[in-house]
Amino acid sequence: MLRNVEIKAKVRDLGDTVSKAKKLSNSEGTWIKQDDIFFRIPQGRGRLKLRTFEDRSAELIFYDRPDSDGPKLSKYDKCSVPNGSQMSSVLSFALGVEGSVKKKRQLFMVGQTRVHIDYVEKLGNFMELEVVLSEDQTLDEGKLIAQSLMADLGVRKEDLVSGTYMDLLLK
């Protein structure tokens, strides 16, 4: 499985956060519209979602990570799906749907880290950092990179969020 170190945080000042991300990445970022459908799977087994993009392409993503609010290890795997609506229908019938999340994401690359600034329908503005680990990198190395970027982007401990956007919507 692939691995990354992740954090999720509430964004207090969208303009400031975007400005800092642009400076760190030396880019304007890339806008991505994503609709995620979460499927029911046995508890304790991670999460399974189908992510559909604006062009109707999709990815099936399974991931497992703790629901804690600091930098944490996420193990994941994903595959491209040629027909997202057909896959959604099959998985909905087989597993049932937990819920869905619609978001607009601005993606910035800072070294090996994906910086996502998300507008999530019904929730507001958030930021995610995903430090993509190479096979030989340790969790501690990934956490140090995440903590450094958190400082550079002005993320405070009280901004950190545990769980997923789906969890927040279900509350």
Side-chain angles (χ1 to χ4, degrees), residues 35-40 48-50 96-102 166 169-170:
D35 294 342
D36 294 345
I37 299 174
F38 285 79
F39 299 96
R40 291 189 181 108
L48 180 67
K49 67 182 171 186
L50 181 67
V97 172
E98 179 100 19
S100 65
V101 175
K102 295 179 184 294
M166 187 76 256
L169 285 168
L170 290 173

Side-chain angles (χ1 to χ4, degrees), residues 109-135:
M109 290 301 302
V110 179
Q112 70 191 80
T113 304
R114 294 185 291 249
V115 177
H116 303 147
I117 300 176
D118 295 337
Y119 172 75
V120 184
E121 281 186 18
K122 301 180 183 174
L123 289 178
N125 296 313
F126 292 84
M127 175 188 5
E128 292 182 345
L129 301 179
E130 295 177 348
V131 181
V132 180
L133 298 175
S134 64
E135 284 186 30

Side-chain angles (χ1 to χ4, degrees), residues 70-147:
K72 58 200 156 279
L73 180 66
S74 178
K75 296 178 185 177
Y76 65 99
D77 209 348
K78 62 183 178 177
C79 69
S80 296
V81 176
N83 187 328
S85 61
Q86 189 175 27
M87 179 63 75
S88 176
S89 178
V90 169
L91 290 173
S92 297
F93 183 71
L95 301 172
V97 172
E98 179 100 19
S100 65
V101 175
K102 295 179 184 294
K103 65 181 171 273
K104 292 178 186 169
R105 167 170 280 177
Q106 195 169 7
L107 167 66
F108 300 91
M109 290 301 302
V110 179
Q112 70 191 80
T113 304
R114 294 185 291 249
V115 177
H116 303 147
I117 300 176
D118 295 337
Y119 172 75
V120 184
E121 281 186 18
K122 301 180 183 174
L123 289 178
N125 296 313
F126 292 84
M127 175 188 5
E128 292 182 345
L129 301 179
E130 295 177 348
V131 181
V132 180
L133 298 175
S134 64
E135 284 186 30
D136 61 337
Q137 276 185 303
T138 66
L139 174 59
D140 288 339
E141 289 173 300
K143 284 182 176 181
L144 286 173
I145 293 168
Q147 289 165 344

